[in-house]
Amino acid sequence: IFIPNTFTPNGDGVNDRFYISGKGIKLITLFQVYNRWGQMVFEARNIQANDPATGWDGTYKGLVLEPDVFVYVVKAVCELGTSTFSYTGDISIVK
């Protein structure tokens, strides 16, 4: 699994979304992003990896967020469906 630590949601078509990629991933069962105050700003469930369309675009309630650091929680099921993995970390919006 590859989870970046920065992205640039500035609308230039390059690195505009924060999404999970990798090999051997059957399903991402949970993908959440929180701001520094613990408020959830993004959530997706039961999505496919390697698909930018399922990722976070750096907005909350329709507003583009300012550069900041956010915390993510990811739960994924391996390709064989036998193991579940959990990941946490931080992602920075850079402009």
Side-chain angles (χ1 to χ4, degrees):
I1 287 185
F2 173 71
I3 304 174
N5 59 4
T6 60
F7 76 119
T8 57
N10 57 11
D12 68 355
V14 178
N15 202 28
D16 283 336
R17 288 188 168 261
F18 172 44
Y19 66 98
I20 311 306
S21 59
K23 294 182 180 180
I25 306 167
K26 179 178 182 180
L27 187 68
I28 297 168
T29 58
L30 180 66
F31 181 19
Q32 296 174 323
V33 180
Y34 296 87
N35 66 17
R36 64 176 62 222
W37 298 279
Q39 182 179 31
M40 188 180 348
V41 296
F42 174 79
E43 180 178 46
R45 292 178 180 267
N46 301 318
I47 59 173
Q48 297 298 313
N50 306 308
D51 182 3
T54 63
W56 180 42
D57 63 0
T59 63
Y60 178 61
K61 293 186 177 180
L63 300 174
V64 177
L65 297 174
E66 292 297 317
D68 207 343
V69 178
F70 300 83
V71 174
Y72 65 79
V73 175
V74 174
K75 293 186 180 182
V77 178
C78 75
E79 194 171 57
L80 300 175
T82 57
S83 299
T84 301
F85 299 93
S86 297
Y87 300 89
T88 59
D90 57 79
I91 181 74
S92 296
I93 290 180
V94 179
K95 294 197 178 183

